[in-house]
Amino acid sequence: MNTSKNLVGKLESVLEKQITLLTDLYACQKRMYESVLVRDWEQLQKELAVSAGMAETFKHLDDSRLAVLRDIAPHIEVENGFYRVTALLGEADKTVINSRYREMKRLLLLSKSENDVFTTYITNAKTLLAGMLDTVISGRKSKIYTRNGALASTNVESVVLNRSF
């Protein structure tokens, strides 16, 4: 019985850590979105590094959660049977663990939605800029000019746009 309580405590601890991590990841995603809106590319790079670290940590926590579930119920396929495992627990433990799990899943869905919104924004901005460049470059018969009006070399690899676009 004591071992079962320890496993339930470990499971609750892992779920709490996942909830905290997902809350922090959601805040990081918001900061990434804001940094793109204000064109702060250095901040975006920092936030991308932070989010990559959080994703790695979440994967380790998820592996830990699955390991604890396997310890609780070795005969159940834990990858898709979370609620079947928690059905084996006492009523009080089951209620707490299931509520933590639902909160973790809610935050995971929220984070995924934020990521989808961010991806859509980036895709739309890319399409808009590509269309603008096609219009500008085709209007100049595929020639690009320098700031002084001289014809630029044809192998221009980088184009910097004014923020007024």
Side-chain angles (χ1 to χ4, degrees):
M1 183 66 181
N2 193 20
T3 305
S4 177
K5 280 291 185 192
N6 287 342
L7 291 174
V8 170
K10 282 183 184 178
L11 182 58
E12 186 176 1
S13 173
V14 168
L15 287 170
E16 285 294 332
K17 288 176 185 175
Q18 285 182 313
I19 289 169
T20 301
L21 187 68
L22 286 171
T23 303
D24 293 344
L25 179 62
Y26 183 70
C28 178
Q29 288 173 312
K30 287 287 194 187
R31 289 190 306 268
M32 284 176 20
Y33 186 74
E34 289 297 320
S35 66
V36 167
L37 290 178
V38 297
R39 294 175 179 90
D40 187 351
W41 309 125
E42 289 177 18
Q43 182 65 28
L44 177 64
Q45 287 293 344
K46 290 175 188 174
E47 296 299 337
L48 283 171
V50 168
S51 72
M54 288 181 182
E56 191 64 31
T57 302
F58 186 83
K59 176 157 180 13
H60 291 302
L61 287 171
D62 212 38
D63 292 342
S64 297
R65 180 181 57 84
L66 292 175
V68 172
L69 289 172
R70 281 189 199 96
D71 290 343
I72 293 172
H75 58 282
I76 295 177
E77 182 185 328
V78 296
E79 285 79 9
N80 298 320
F82 181 86
Y83 291 111
R84 287 191 308 222
V85 173
T86 58
L88 302 173
L89 303 175
E91 195 60 38
D93 291 334
K94 179 172 69 171
T95 302
V96 169
I97 295 297
N98 285 346
S99 70
R100 300 280 191 283
Y101 183 71
R102 282 191 300 274
E103 177 64 12
M104 186 267 296
K105 286 296 197 177
R106 184 189 72 79
L107 289 170
L108 196 59
L109 183 62
L110 188 65
S111 178
K112 184 184 179 322
S113 298
E114 183 67 25
N115 192 43
D116 290 345
V117 167
F118 187 56
T119 301
T120 301
Y121 175 79
I122 295 295
T123 302
N124 290 341
K126 178 182 169 188
T127 303
L128 175 70
L129 286 175
M132 290 173 65
L133 285 175
D134 285 346
T135 301
V136 169
I137 290 175
S138 67
R140 294 179 179 210
K141 299 182 181 172
S142 299
K143 296 178 184 176
I144 298 178
Y145 296 89
T146 66
R147 192 170 21 170
N148 299 329
L151 185 61
S153 65
T154 56
N155 59 355
V156 175
E157 294 180 8
S158 176
V159 176
V160 177
L161 297 177
N162 190 337
R163 287 182 184 237
S164 64
F165 276 152

